[in-house]
């Protein structure tokens, strides 16, 4: 009580002098530290409690010097370092109160740092109170986390969670300080790529720390690079035109190289969730590549016609082909994680290009301008043929390698999907041809009202049914023959429900006559296979 009351009186005496309170606290702290040192050297065994009391008073009054003389940020930085020193002393002396005091001092340091958030930070990049203060807070927290993890077996049971909390505390200050500097000093269009470079460097440094000092907790920031890349890529969709803008063509390749390097370094960990990092990296690479290629093509053709649309499946399709044909031959990463890349990584890519296939057939008229439209020999149809070929190649390779669960999908289901895709594509080609060559507007209502479209569909579906049933008869396959017969029944129903409503037009007359003749041909060329035929 005596030093606390005396100090209060001293502050009242020196309040008019510049830094009077700070100098008084420094003198009082030095006095008690000197007393503690002298008593510890002479009578440490006789008066241990008095030595600890003098030491505590000296530390408290010395700590008060900083907030009395400096602003909140430098106070916070100094307190954080002092707290780290107290944790170190408490760990060496195996004293729980000292360690807890050091941890609480760091929390107080963070609180005072936020209290001065509105104060100007300085006019120099990096060399300012916000950046340096954040770095010192981060270093102090990370040092304490490393120290407590090393002595985990000697800690109190209630303390063992502190290492992880302090590590998260220090990492948060490091990331927050770095992102604050980027936001403060760089133009908005450069910030995301700079943040990507900062995250890449941080994760590489964390991976190096894990190996050099055997720091288990440092593994998690090292493997957090991919989630950071995903977040930044999502942010870029709102703030930039393409991933390669503003040195993105440098930042993104370096980030992917660092990601694969870190995955290779942690290969021995054998964690199952690492497989998902491999797969997610493939998805992100495909998404960014498709985005960049689409932007390039869009710029080259000035957003004309169908050209930007066909760019989206190019990169995912190319990756699927490389995985299917060359993935097994590359030792790492695809060869070592073949199932991961072909199934976990390849399945979403296949679903994406399949969705593109369906949507593009439904919404695009396939205008290849400035080129003339030729069925099958136009950019959209060639891209869709490539998509079907890529999906088939991927499925064939996965089935050859017997990789579950894709390889376990029943073959009849696969054939049904393939037939449905081919049927959709064939009808889309017909409708696009009628649009470009017959002058039918590319609108659903106009297509449904067009006599030319309805007659063409009736004849076209009948031809498909004829071809299917003839082949099924020759190959003795009953199920395809029944499918053809079902399509023929749909055509007959369409004739009476749709085509018959306007039977006086030439198109409807042609459709009735043509369908009738083709039905006679079917009856002659494609009798039903016997029930015992293979299906």
């Amino acid at each position: 009580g005596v030093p606390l009351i005396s100090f209060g009186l001293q502050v009242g005496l020196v309040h008019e002098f510049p830094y009077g309170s700070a100098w008084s606290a420094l003198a009082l702290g030095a006095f008690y530290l000197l007393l503690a040192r002298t008593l510890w050297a002479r009578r440490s065994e006789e008066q241990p409690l008095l030595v600890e009391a003098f030491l505590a008073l000296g530390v408290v009054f010395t700590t008060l010097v900083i907030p009395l003389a400096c602003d909140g940020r430098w106070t916070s930085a100094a307190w954080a370092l002092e707290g780290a020193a107290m944790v170190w002393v408490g760990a060496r002396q195996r004293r729980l109160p000292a360690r807890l005091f050091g941890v609480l001092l760091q929390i107080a340091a963070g609180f005072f740092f936020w209290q001065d958030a509105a104060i100007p930070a300085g006019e120099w990049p990096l060399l300012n109170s916000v950046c340096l203060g954040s770095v010192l807070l981060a270093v102090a927290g990370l040092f304490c986390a490393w120290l407590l993890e090393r002595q985990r077996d000697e800690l109190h049971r209630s303390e063992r969670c502190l290492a992880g909390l302090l590590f998260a505390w220090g990492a948060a200050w490091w990331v927050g300080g770095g992102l604050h500097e980027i936001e403060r000093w760089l133009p908005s269009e450069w910030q995301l790529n700079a943040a990507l470079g900062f995250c890449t460097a941080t994760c590489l440094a964390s991976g190096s720390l894990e190996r050099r000092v055997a720091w288990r907790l440092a593994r998690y920031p090292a493997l957090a690079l991919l989630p950071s890349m995903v977040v930044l890529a999502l942010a870029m969709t709102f703030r930039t035109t393409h991933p390669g803008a503003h040195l993105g063509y440098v930042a993104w390749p370096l980030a992917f190289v660092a990601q694969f390097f870190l995955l290779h370094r942690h290969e021995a960990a054998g964690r199952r969730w690492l497989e998902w990092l491999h797969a997610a990296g493939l998805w992100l690479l495909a998404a960014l590549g498709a985005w960049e290629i689409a932007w390039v093509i869009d710029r080259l053709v000035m957003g004309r016609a169908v050209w930007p649309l066909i760019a989206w499946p190019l990169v995912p399709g190319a990756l699927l082909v490389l995985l299917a044909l060359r993935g097994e031959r590359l030792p790492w990463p695809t060869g070592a994680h073949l199932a991961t890349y072909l199934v976990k990584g390849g399945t979403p890519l296949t679903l994406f290009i399949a969705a593109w296939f369906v949507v593009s057939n439904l919404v695009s008229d396939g205008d290849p301008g400035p080129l003339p439209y030729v069925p099958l020999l136009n950019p959209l149809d060639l891209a869709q043929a490539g998509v079907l070929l890529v999906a088939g190649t991927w499925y064939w390779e996965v089935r050859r390698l017997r990789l579950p669960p894709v390889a376990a999908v029943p073959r009849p289901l696969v054939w049904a999907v393939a037939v449905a895709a081919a049927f959709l594509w064939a009808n889309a080609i017909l409708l696009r041809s009628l649009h470009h060559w017959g002058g039918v507007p590319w609108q659903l209502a106009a297509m449904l009202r067009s006599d030319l479209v309805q007659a063409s569909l009736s004849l076209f579906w009948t031809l498909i049914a004829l071809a299917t049933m003839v082949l099924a008869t020759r190959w003795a396959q009953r199920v395809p023959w029944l499918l053809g017969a079902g399509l023929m029944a749909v055509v007959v129903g369409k004739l009476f429900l749709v085509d018959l409503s306007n039977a006086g037009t030439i198109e409807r007359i042609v459709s009735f006559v043509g369908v009738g003749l083709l039905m006679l041909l079917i009856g002659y060329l494609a009798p039903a296979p016997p029930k015992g035929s293979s299906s």
Side-chain angles (χ1 to χ4, degrees), residues 271-347:
R271 302 292 181 87
R272 293 189 63 182
W273 51 269
L274 289 176
E275 301 291 330
W276 288 106
L277 290 181
H278 283 275
L282 178 66
W283 304 337
L284 182 61
L285 178 61
L288 293 175
W291 183 6
E292 185 69 20
I293 294 297
W295 179 84
V296 170
I297 294 178
D298 184 63
R299 294 283 293 181
L300 291 176
V301 300
M302 302 300 292
R304 294 181 59 187
V306 77
W307 295 97
L309 179 64
I310 67 172
W312 288 99
L314 294 182
V315 174
L319 290 175
L320 280 173
V321 169
L322 289 175
L323 289 174
L325 301 182
R326 298 291 178 180
E328 196 174 4
R329 303 180 185 181
L330 189 64
W332 195 92
T334 55
H337 304 274
L338 194 59
T340 297
Y341 279 92
L342 276 177
V343 179
K344 292 180 181 177
T347 302

Side-chain angles (χ1 to χ4, degrees), residues 215-446:
W215 195 0
R216 179 183 58 86
L217 289 175
R219 174 186 306 170
Y220 300 105
L223 295 174
L225 178 57
L226 183 63
S228 304
M229 293 165 65
V230 171
V231 171
L232 291 172
L234 292 175
M236 281 186 178
T237 60
F238 301 98
R239 298 181 60 178
T240 188
T241 55
H242 64 108
H246 310 296
L247 292 182
Y249 59 85
V250 175
W252 281 107
L254 290 178
F256 276 106
V257 170
Q259 166 66 11
F260 283 110
F261 171 77
L262 291 172
L263 286 176
H264 186 268
R265 171 170 283 187
H266 293 86
E267 186 78 8
R271 302 292 181 87
R272 293 189 63 182
W273 51 269
L274 289 176
E275 301 291 330
W276 288 106
L277 290 181
H278 283 275
L282 178 66
W283 304 337
L284 182 61
L285 178 61
L288 293 175
W291 183 6
E292 185 69 20
I293 294 297
W295 179 84
V296 170
I297 294 178
D298 184 63
R299 294 283 293 181
L300 291 176
V301 300
M302 302 300 292
R304 294 181 59 187
V306 77
W307 295 97
L309 179 64
I310 67 172
W312 288 99
L314 294 182
V315 174
L319 290 175
L320 280 173
V321 169
L322 289 175
L323 289 174
L325 301 182
R326 298 291 178 180
E328 196 174 4
R329 303 180 185 181
L330 189 64
W332 195 92
T334 55
H337 304 274
L338 194 59
T340 297
Y341 279 92
L342 276 177
V343 179
K344 292 180 181 177
T347 302
L349 296 186
T350 305
L351 293 177
F352 170 78
I353 64 174
W356 175 89
F357 176 86
V358 173
V359 172
S360 62
N361 273 312
L362 294 177
V363 304
S364 177
D365 63 354
D367 181 11
L371 301 177
Y373 179 84
V374 179
L376 293 178
L377 299 179
N378 62 82
L380 181 59
D381 286 338
L382 292 175
Q384 290 174 343
V387 164
L388 294 178
L389 184 61
V390 166
T393 303
W394 169 80
Y395 174 76
W396 183 271
E397 186 66 15
V398 171
R399 193 171 186 89
R400 182 185 69 84
L401 296 172
R402 299 180 180 178
L403 299 177
V406 177
V409 176
R411 280 195 177 184
L413 178 60
V414 176
W415 279 111
V417 172
V419 169
F423 184 75
L424 172 64
W425 185 32
N427 281 274
I429 293 174
L430 173 64
L431 294 177
R432 286 193 288 267
S433 300
L434 294 175
H435 166 66
H436 289 284
W437 291 358
V440 181
W442 185 257
Q443 297 175 355
L444 178 61

Side-chain angles (χ1 to χ4, degrees), residues 423 427 454-470 479-497 499 510-527:
F423 184 75
N427 281 274
Q454 296 298 336
S456 300
L457 287 176
S458 298
L459 292 172
F460 186 60
W461 291 356
T462 306
L463 287 172
I464 293 176
L466 171 63
T468 303
M469 297 171 74
V470 168
V479 172
W481 190 93
L482 292 175
L483 289 176
L487 181 59
M488 200 63 247
V490 171
V491 172
V492 173
K494 178 177 175 298
L495 285 175
F496 285 98
L497 296 177
D499 296 30
V510 171
S511 67
F512 268 84
V513 174
V515 170
L517 292 175
L518 290 175
M519 291 180 66
L520 291 176
L521 193 60
I522 290 173
Y524 177 74
L525 296 178

Side-chain angles (χ1 to χ4, degrees), residues 19 43 82 369 394 433 516:
Y19 302 108
R43 297 185 178 183
E82 189 174 343
W394 169 80
S433 300

